[in-house]
């Protein structure tokens, strides 16, 4: 093994590591994407070392210069990794030392990969979780735009997957948009809580050197430094939280996926996908399949798996750092990637699809879906609701038994009559949903206004990094 191929811990060991050990323990294949954060973290550490007199300004600048070279090599894709580069931290320190000579050997002063990798991952989470939130905002915008555009179109609302009462399509679309507002909120809360710098915790116990964790925390733009070095290097709560947030987003996406699988079926026929967002069959020439919707439904499985996998890894881990913690990265990276991809694909699918509004209206206009309106009509005239329910229920039973159309039976009923029969006419029922937050045109117009301002506020929260 070449000199620069030595392990970071070679001094205490008689020989080099076994091939199988390296193969099994390396994390470079997946943690290399932390390189920008590792460089940022190292810069702050180096500036911090000079700040407390552990480096001369000259040494600091030499190391910062070497980190710039590493940055450029990474950007250009010309950084040469060695087989002995166990992880991204090892690789960058090794290269800095090659470039900076003896000053490079001071980069790791007072630092351990334990506080280093914890710092890098928190920097990564702050940026990437915010970018997931930004993607959600884009999807919410698509849902809002579609809601605005469909006006007072309506479809059946379902309970138990049985037609229940008609609702505006805009109301239905906004229901999903509000769901995602909670997801944005959760991501921002997770970012807020994880905004702690572990740098300066060392391997587990801090240092005999005069390090200043508050100074490096501020350099890195963290809200605060760690309170306890053991906690700082072993805490992965934020990864678990992020995985929960992402799993729940995945579950929300899966519900939309299922809905669109149904809506685009011949049986429902509520929506048609744009050709660019549908797939065909290799054997059946007539097929047009909603694969995006299906994968949005299906991939929730691995997102939940990523969360439960990490929780299981964390369970029972003694303080402080254990190599088990290296298992934090793959599920997190996968979850972020998958959710980002899903949101992009669903934005395209929903924004380009055609709603088949007459099919929706036809399905919603079955006379019995106005049954509750009939009962409420009676209530407004003094009939106790339970009695009204029974009167209308009996009419529904008769119409289903073939005694006549519901409007006809209502018109002839002594309790109801022709005025009530008008409620059964197409398009009437949905207009009667007038209460705040309800599914009819008046409350939905107000709701849409509220959602628009909510989205504006969230845009400011997500895009404008808080000034510390
Ligand atoms: N690759 C390791 C990880 O991601 C870095 C820390 C290794 N620390 C150690 N003492 N071996 O967790």
């Amino acid at each position: 093994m070449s000199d620069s191929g030595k392990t970071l811990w070679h001094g205490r060991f008689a020989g080099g590591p076994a091939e199988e050990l390296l193969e099994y323990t390396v994390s470079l294949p997946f943690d290399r994407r932390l390189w920008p954060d590792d460089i940022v973290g190292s810069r702050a550490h180096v500036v911090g070392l000079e700040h407390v007199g552990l480096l001369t300004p000259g040494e600091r600048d030499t190391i910062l210069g070497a980190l710039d070279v590493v940055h450029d090599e990474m950007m250009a894709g010309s950084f040469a990794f060695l087989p002995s580069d166990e992880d991204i931290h090892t690789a960058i320190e090794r290269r800095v030392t090659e470039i900076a000579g003896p000053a490079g050997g001071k980069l790791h002063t007072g630092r351990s990969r334990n506080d280093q990798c914890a710092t890098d991952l928190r920097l990564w989470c702050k940026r990437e979780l915010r970018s997931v939130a930004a993607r959600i905002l884009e999807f919410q915008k698509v849902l809002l735009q579609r809601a605005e555009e469909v006006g007072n179109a309506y479809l059946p609302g379902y309970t138990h997957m049985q037609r229940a009462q008609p609702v505006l399509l805009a109301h239905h679309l906004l229901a999903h948009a509000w769901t995602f507002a909670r997801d944005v909120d959760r991501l921002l809360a997770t970012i807020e809580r994880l905004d702690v710098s572990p740098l300066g915790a060392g391997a587990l116990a801090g240092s005999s050197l005069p390090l200043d964790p508050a100074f490096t925390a501020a350099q890195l733009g963290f809200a605060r430094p760690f309170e306890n070095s053991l906690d700082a290097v072993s805490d992965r709560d934020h990864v678990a939280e992020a995985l929960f947030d992402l799993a729940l987003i995945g579950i929300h996406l899966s519900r939309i996926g299922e809905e669109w699988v149904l809506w685009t079926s011949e049986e429902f026929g509520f929506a048609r996908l744009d050709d660019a967002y549908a797939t065909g069959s290799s054997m059946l020439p007539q097929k047009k399949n909603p694969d995006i919707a299906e994968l949005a439904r299906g991939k929730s499985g691995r997102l939940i798996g990523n969360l439960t996998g990490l929780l299981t890894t964390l369970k029972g881990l003694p303080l402080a750092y254990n190599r088990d913690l290296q298992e934090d990265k793959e599920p997190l990276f996968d979850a972020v990637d998958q959710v980002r991809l899903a949101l992009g694909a669903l934005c395209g699918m929903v924004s380009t699809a055609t709603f088949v509004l007459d099919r929706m209206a036809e399905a919603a206009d079955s006379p019995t879906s106005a049954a509750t309106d009939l009962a409420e009509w009676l209530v407004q005239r003094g009939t106790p609701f339970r009695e009204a329910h029974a009167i209308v229920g009996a009419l529904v039973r008769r119409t289903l038994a073939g005694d006549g159309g519901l409007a006809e039976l209502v018109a002839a009923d002594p309790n109801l009559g022709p005025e009530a029969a008008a409620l059964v006419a197409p398009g009437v029922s949905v207009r009667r949903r007038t209460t705040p937050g309800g599914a009819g045109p008046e409350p939905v117009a107000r709701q849409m206004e509220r959602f628009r301002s909510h989205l504006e506020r969230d845009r400011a929260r997500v895009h404008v990094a808080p000034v510390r």
Side-chain angles (χ1 to χ4, degrees), residues 9 25-27 30-31 86-89 112-114 117 236 321-323 325-329:
W9 60 82
T25 60
V26 285
S27 53
F30 51 87
D31 69 18
E86 181 192 322
D87 55 25
I88 190 64
H89 324 292
S112 158
R113 277 182 300 156
N114 300 350
C117 72
R236 294 296 184 277
Y321 179 84
N322 297 276
R323 191 64 179 263
L325 291 173
Q326 180 170 287
E327 288 294 302
D328 58 357
K329 283 170 273 297

Side-chain angles (χ1 to χ4, degrees), residues 277-343:
Y277 291 94
T279 56
S281 158
S282 59
M283 177 172 160
L284 314 171
Q286 84 283 12
K287 291 299 296 293
K288 184 168 175 183
N289 297 328
D291 291 30
I292 292 176
E294 292 168 89
L295 283 172
R297 188 176 58 187
K299 282 183 191 259
S300 54
R302 72 199 266 180
L303 293 167
I304 296 165
N306 286 335
L307 170 63
T308 54
L310 181 83
L311 289 174
T312 312
T313 296
L314 296 180
K315 180 200 161 293
L317 270 192
L319 292 173
Y321 179 84
N322 297 276
R323 191 64 179 263
D324 315 45
L325 291 173
Q326 180 170 287
E327 288 294 302
D328 58 357
K329 283 170 273 297
E330 283 169 293
L332 179 65
F333 295 162
D334 180 63
V336 165
D337 290 345
Q338 288 303 327
V339 167
R340 245 194 316 242
L341 287 169
L343 285 165

Side-chain angles (χ1 to χ4, degrees), residues 135-322:
R135 275 285 169 97
I136 295 179
L137 294 179
E138 283 167 32
F139 189 41
Q140 288 175 302
K141 196 167 109 198
V142 166
L143 291 167
L144 174 63
Q145 277 167 350
R146 302 269 15 210
E148 287 167 344
E149 162 202 321
V150 296
N152 287 341
Y154 57 94
L155 76 165
Y158 296 83
T159 63
H160 311 269
M161 210 47 218
Q162 308 290 321
R163 287 178 194 167
Q165 284 183 302
V167 298
L168 285 197
L169 176 55
H171 191 59
H172 186 112
L173 294 168
L174 287 174
H176 290 303
W178 286 111
T179 300
F180 288 113
R182 291 191 295 277
D183 289 318
V184 169
D185 213 51
R186 247 185 302 274
L187 286 171
L188 292 176
T190 298
I191 293 171
E192 172 72 31
R193 248 188 309 278
L194 70 79
D195 202 358
V196 175
S197 175
L199 194 59
L204 76 165
S207 179
S208 66
L209 300 167
L211 303 177
D212 185 352
F215 176 85
T216 48
Q219 287 283 308
L220 289 168
F222 279 114
R224 50 206 177 273
F226 64 93
E227 297 284 350
N228 178 306
S229 63
L230 291 170
D231 184 40
V233 293
S234 63
D235 171 25
R236 294 296 184 277
D237 288 2
H238 52 291
V239 182
E241 260 190 65
L243 285 173
F244 172 76
D245 297 348
L246 294 160
L248 194 55
I249 295 167
I251 287 167
H252 295 151
L253 295 173
S254 81
R255 298 180 72 176
I256 294 184
E258 165 67 357
E259 176 176 294
W260 281 71
V261 168
L262 292 173
W263 282 12
T264 55
S265 68
E266 244 172 280
E267 284 70 11
F268 270 77
F270 286 0
R272 276 194 293 268
L273 297 180
D274 186 88
D275 281 359
Y277 291 94
T279 56
S281 158
S282 59
M283 177 172 160
L284 314 171
Q286 84 283 12
K287 291 299 296 293
K288 184 168 175 183
N289 297 328
D291 291 30
I292 292 176
E294 292 168 89
L295 283 172
R297 188 176 58 187
K299 282 183 191 259
S300 54
R302 72 199 266 180
L303 293 167
I304 296 165
N306 286 335
L307 170 63
T308 54
L310 181 83
L311 289 174
T312 312
T313 296
L314 296 180
K315 180 200 161 293
L317 270 192
L319 292 173
Y321 179 84
N322 297 276

Side-chain angles (χ1 to χ4, degrees), residues 33-45 89 111 115-131 190-191 194-199 216-224 238-239 332-333:
R33 67 194 281 176
L34 289 175
W35 73 261
D37 304 293
D38 199 69
I39 290 180
V40 167
S42 292
R43 280 199 187 116
H45 181 60
H89 324 292
R111 187 175 71 169
D115 59 344
Q116 184 180 3
C117 72
T119 303
D120 292 2
L121 197 59
R122 282 179 190 258
L123 288 170
W124 189 90
C125 283
K126 279 177 72 174
R127 183 182 60 249
E128 302 298 329
L129 294 181
R130 198 171 282 282
S131 99
T190 298
I191 293 171
L194 70 79
D195 202 358
V196 175
S197 175
L199 194 59
T216 48
Q219 287 283 308
L220 289 168
F222 279 114
R224 50 206 177 273
H238 52 291
V239 182
L332 179 65
F333 295 162

Side-chain angles (χ1 to χ4, degrees), residues 71-85:
H71 178 272
D72 294 346
E73 289 179 351
M74 289 287 184
M75 287 298 281
S78 62
F79 186 99
F81 288 100
L82 297 181
S84 55
D85 291 338

Side-chain angles (χ1 to χ4, degrees), residues 395-423:
L395 292 179
V396 169
R397 185 152 46 85
R398 283 178 55 199
T399 190
L400 293 177
D403 273 8
L406 187 64
E408 210 180 295
L409 295 174
V410 169
D413 190 279
N415 296 301
L416 291 151
E419 190 192 321
L423 300 180

